[in-house]
Amino acid sequence: MSEANKQQGLMEKLTALAKRRGFIFQSSEIYGGINGFWDYGPLGVELKRNVKNAWWHDMVTTRDDMVGLDCSIIMNPRVWEASGHLGGFADPMVDCKQCKGRFRADKVWAVKVQSKAGVQVLGVEADDEPHARQAAEPALAKIAKKQGSADVLEVLSADVTLLQPDLAAAFACPSCGQMTLMPARKFNLMFKTYVGAIESENSVAYLRPETAQGIFANFKNVVDTSRVKLPFGIAQIGKSFRNEINPRNYTFRSREFEQMEIEFFCRPNESAKWYEYWRDLRHKWYTNLGLKSSNLHLREHGKEELAHYAAGCADVEYEFPFGVSELEGIANRGDYDLTRHQEFSGKDLTYFDDEAKERFVPHVIEPSAGVDRTCLALLCEAYEEDEVEGEKRTLMRFHPRIAPLKAAVFPLVKKEGMPEVAKAIYRDLKANFPVYYDEKGAIGRRYRRQDEAGTPVCITVDGQTLQDQTVTVRDRDSLQQVRIDKSRCLAYLKEKMGLI
Ligand code: GAP
């Protein structure tokens, strides 16, 4: 089996497990779902909350130079004029005349193939050239089987080129394979709505496509009310909405998602230093959540990729089964955003620096992360299959800090007073963490269910507990079982989570 097929298989198994165990459901599934929207189930919501709590704890609670904010999703539409979203936040969209498929032009690729039958064009959808080649593999194999050989002559991205009508004919539709793609059109990604009873041009508003602008719009409020001094940051976690042309790769590109964003304001001459600081800190942060550093990449953008106002930009990327893709972007945005809001609002957004005795518009470093993408990376990283005593086992190796359930408590059998002791331990732990109690079925099956949920330890009350007050603690990863005094369960879990 090719690497691409294996990875595809992994995504299928993962999405099946996520549904079966209540991590992620399709939104409004009983009505057939809605493309690009997802719900987090009982285990997923704990995972997501743990990610957000870890970020808030590490970036806000434990730092002296950060304050938090929680802004409204709908803002005065002038915000989006100032930010440039109304004018420029658009993707090139391309439609197929034949099958009515709709794609993002920058994700459409033409793979030109030479065989005995001549030159033919395969249409595929992919993020980059290596993945375009991978995606074309099955079709290439078919041609090679029929014609004896199939050589790739060229792989072309439809980005930009498709905007020119005469070049549309060079690309095949990734869905139906016909040369029937239409010239691309620009499509604004902001969701539009109306505020109030009357739907008119004057009542148009937008769902925010990023949380960042709420921070800029409140810069003056925060400076005036919270005695922050440069350098300092403002952090926000919240929902954002983008009417993505083609939501893809499970929750990776959705139409409703959550962001964790920081705007870190600093003196202009210190922005390069702070950019490097945040880029490196944010990269490292993901390893503390349990993502292997070998699966994480820091990609510094080339000069040609930078926005005209940006002095630097880097992406933290993760090796997902569907390819290496962005988890977070860190950008040195100079004074662009505050200056634009100053111009559009007419309000003074300068800062008076006591030290230098001067007034200026601070520069800003923006680390902008996605909650859903972090959760998806954690799910991909955690998924594993092994064999225990000849039986196949699926387990989610979450770091205890982000595992949805921290422990499960079982009585070995449902009699002899074991359930009562187990329930008392469960209640004691449950006052501190999400913990699960289960007394049904064979103990082996109960262990397997928790392995799939990613629960780091299972605590079992057995015959010996009734005599010496000890319980067995089974480790999800090593499968080792140790006996500890039942009064030590809470401390044991806290140690495991790195809390003591
Ligand atoms: N304020 C800067 C900003 O929003 P971005 O690169 O467009 O930058 C930041 O988004 C992060 O938000 C991304 O790295 C990603 O984690 C998340 N994100 C963006 N669009 C998303 C989508 N359609 N679905 C899920 N997450 C998304």
Side-chain angles (χ1 to χ4, degrees), residues 210 242 244 252 254 259 261 326-327 366 368 370 373:
E210 60 172 28
R242 296 184 190 176
E244 297 283 358
F252 182 83
S254 329
Q259 290 184 308
E261 296 202 291
E326 178 189 324
L327 288 181
E366 179 187 74
S368 173
R373 287 190 188 177

Side-chain angles (χ1 to χ4, degrees), residues 102-104 107-109 123-127 131-132 135 174 246 248:
R102 175 162 287 173
F103 315 92
R104 241 173 82 172
K107 309 285 178 196
V108 172
W109 296 77
V124 291
E125 231 189 330
D127 284 340
H131 287 96
N246 203 356
R248 253 157 61 97

Side-chain angles (χ1 to χ4, degrees), residues 188-375:
N188 194 298
L189 298 184
M190 282 200 294
F191 278 101
K192 211 178 193 180
T193 185
Y194 297 92
V195 172
I198 297 167
E199 291 190 9
S200 75
E201 270 313 297
N202 296 332
S203 61
V204 167
Y206 301 91
L207 304 192
R208 67 179 176 203
E210 60 172 28
T211 63
Q213 297 305 324
I215 299 180
F216 294 123
N218 276 293
F219 173 76
K220 193 171 154 44
N221 281 336
V222 174
V223 170
D224 290 349
T225 56
S226 56
R227 293 189 169 172
V228 284
K229 293 270 172 259
L230 283 188
F232 71 91
I234 306 178
Q236 171 161 225
I237 299 179
K239 290 259 181 162
S240 292
F241 302 81
R242 296 184 190 176
N243 199 358
E244 297 283 358
I245 293 169
N246 203 356
R248 253 157 61 97
N249 292 330
Y250 201 22
T251 56
F252 182 83
R253 194 187 308 138
S254 329
R255 290 179 164 140
E256 175 176 344
F257 54 95
E258 236 171 323
Q259 290 184 308
M260 307 181 281
E261 296 202 291
I262 294 171
E263 302 302 333
F264 193 82
F265 301 98
C266 62
R267 294 180 182 91
N269 61 357
E270 292 181 345
S271 70
K273 178 186 88 181
W274 282 112
Y275 166 67
E276 283 175 21
Y277 167 87
W278 280 106
R279 183 195 61 193
D280 298 344
L281 183 87
R282 292 302 308 149
H283 180 206
K284 203 168 143 241
W285 184 76
Y286 290 94
T287 57
N288 298 341
L289 287 191
L291 295 183
K292 267 195 238 76
S293 50
S294 56
N295 286 339
L296 281 173
H297 306 281
L298 188 64
R299 190 177 71 81
E300 193 82 45
H301 287 206
K303 284 238 154 15
E304 68 293 347
E305 275 183 276
L306 293 180
H308 65 90
Y309 49 79
C313 190
D315 288 344
V316 179
E317 299 180 328
Y318 179 75
E319 279 189 38
F320 286 99
F322 46 81
V324 176
S325 299
E326 178 189 324
L327 288 181
E328 167 162 357
I330 302 103
N332 179 349
R333 299 178 61 87
D335 61 2
Y336 178 76
D337 306 274
L338 285 181
T339 305
R340 291 277 293 188
H341 283 297
Q342 191 165 253
E343 277 168 29
F344 279 71
S345 67
K347 297 285 181 316
D348 178 8
L349 299 182
T350 55
Y351 171 91
F352 183 72
D353 190 353
D354 292 340
E355 262 174 49
K357 302 274 180 262
E358 57 175 344
R359 188 169 274 289
F360 54 86
V361 176
H363 280 213
V364 72
I365 313 300
E366 179 187 74
S368 173
V371 180
D372 309 80
R373 287 190 188 177
T374 306
C375 289

Side-chain angles (χ1 to χ4, degrees), residues 83-138:
S83 69
H85 284 85
L86 255 182
F89 192 54
D91 279 339
M93 174 174 82
V94 60
D95 289 326
C96 174
K97 237 188 297 184
Q98 179 75 21
C99 70
K100 312 287 176 231
R102 175 162 287 173
F103 315 92
R104 241 173 82 172
D106 54 333
K107 309 285 178 196
V108 172
W109 296 77
V111 180
K112 272 197 195 166
V113 187
Q114 170 84 63
S115 72
K116 269 198 219 129
V119 176
Q120 97 186 68
V121 179
L122 303 175
V124 291
E125 231 189 330
D127 284 340
D128 50 32
E129 190 183 320
H131 287 96
R133 286 178 185 271
Q134 259 182 20
E137 272 173 24

